[in-house]
Amino acid sequence: MDSTFEIDDSEKETYLTFCKKCYSDTYHSVVLNYKKRIREDDSYGNSYRFDQDNQVVQCMGCMNVSFRVVECCSERSEYDDETGQFVPCPSTVEYPFRDAKLEIDLNTIRYCPTEIQNAYNETIIAIENKQYSLAGLGARLIIELICNDSDKWSLKYKLLDKKEKLNLSDEQYKMLDSIVVLGNKAAHKLIRPDLDVLRVSICIINSYLKN
């Protein structure tokens, strides 16, 4: 087995992907590429190929720096009807993860108490790192912290108390309560919320904190 490693800063590849700072799809350029190559041939004429590109990339809009790993392995391939050959299928992972595409309202959050800011930021980090069960617990914690000024004995009655004091509509109350239920299911029934539900939860929290 032959393994080679090479640093390449000559590539000027650009590609379109989501930028967390710009909060939109923008073009990114590859600034530096650390290449790993593995080659192995056996006595029967079979060959194994593995390519890994560890890339430092930069948004061409805001200039934010992030990372991308592109892997291509001869063992992961698909049949190409046009050529009649098996073609390797590359896989790409970007760091930090950017699949979530969350609407983060930092202007509102910075005026919240420190406890709420911490819970909000940690919940966002959990979502972005695909730790959805922890994110469900975090979303519930935010609601509990919002209701902390109530003297009621349980979160259910604290939320009802908040509804009465702030004159929340039934719909607004139901949306906040749905986040509590989400967290309870994650904690007590090990039901992992999906990304779309968590996106909606963050939007509900943003709207409540803003208004």
Side-chain angles (χ1 to χ4, degrees), residues 63-75:
M63 309 306 288
N64 183 56
V65 174
S66 56
F67 304 92
R68 182 174 75 152
V69 178
V70 182
E71 292 184 346
C72 189
C73 176
S74 58
E75 300 297 310

Side-chain angles (χ1 to χ4, degrees), residues 24-192:
S24 63
D25 290 331
T26 62
Y27 281 99
H28 287 60
S29 63
V30 176
V31 178
L32 185 71
N33 190 4
Y34 183 69
K35 297 180 177 181
K36 177 181 180 180
R37 302 290 185 261
I38 297 177
R39 303 288 185 265
E40 183 176 13
D41 299 310
D42 63 22
S43 57
Y44 298 98
N46 300 312
S47 61
Y48 171 78
R49 301 289 185 269
F50 176 77
D51 296 343
Q52 184 184 71
D53 291 349
N54 302 276
Q55 301 172 339
V56 178
V57 301
Q58 187 172 38
C59 173
M60 299 174 70
C62 68
M63 309 306 288
N64 183 56
V65 174
S66 56
F67 304 92
R68 182 174 75 152
V69 178
V70 182
E71 292 184 346
C72 189
C73 176
S74 58
E75 300 297 310
R76 296 194 298 265
S77 59
E78 289 183 351
Y79 184 75
D80 189 335
D81 292 328
E82 294 184 2
T83 63
Q85 297 180 341
F86 284 93
V87 179
C89 301
S91 63
T92 301
V93 180
E94 296 176 299
Y95 301 95
F97 296 116
R98 55 196 75 187
D99 299 340
K101 298 186 179 180
L102 298 171
E103 294 185 15
I104 305 172
D105 191 351
L106 296 178
N107 288 330
T108 298
I109 295 302
R110 66 179 179 176
Y111 295 111
C112 294
T114 302
E115 294 82 2
I116 293 178
Q117 289 187 43
N118 291 339
Y120 184 94
N121 291 333
E122 290 175 14
T123 300
I124 295 298
I125 291 172
I127 296 174
E128 290 179 338
N129 286 280
K130 302 182 181 182
Q131 298 171 336
Y132 297 152
S133 295
L134 293 179
L137 295 174
R140 183 194 183 280
L141 175 61
I142 295 170
I143 301 302
E144 187 155 8
L145 292 171
I146 289 172
C147 298
N148 249 0
D149 56 346
S150 173
D151 58 359
K152 303 300 180 180
W153 65 277
S154 73
L155 181 54
K156 175 181 178 180
Y157 291 107
K158 285 181 178 180
L159 193 54
L160 286 169
D161 187 43
K162 184 69 69 173
K163 175 180 183 292
E164 182 179 342
K165 288 180 178 178
L166 298 181
N167 196 27
L168 299 177
S169 67
D170 290 341
E171 189 64 27
Q172 289 172 316
Y173 167 78
K174 287 179 181 178
M175 287 191 293
L176 293 173
D177 186 59
S178 69
I179 297 176
V180 176
V181 173
L182 173 79
N184 288 341
K185 287 182 177 179
H188 304 299
K189 297 184 179 181
L190 303 180
I191 298 177
R192 186 175 187 256

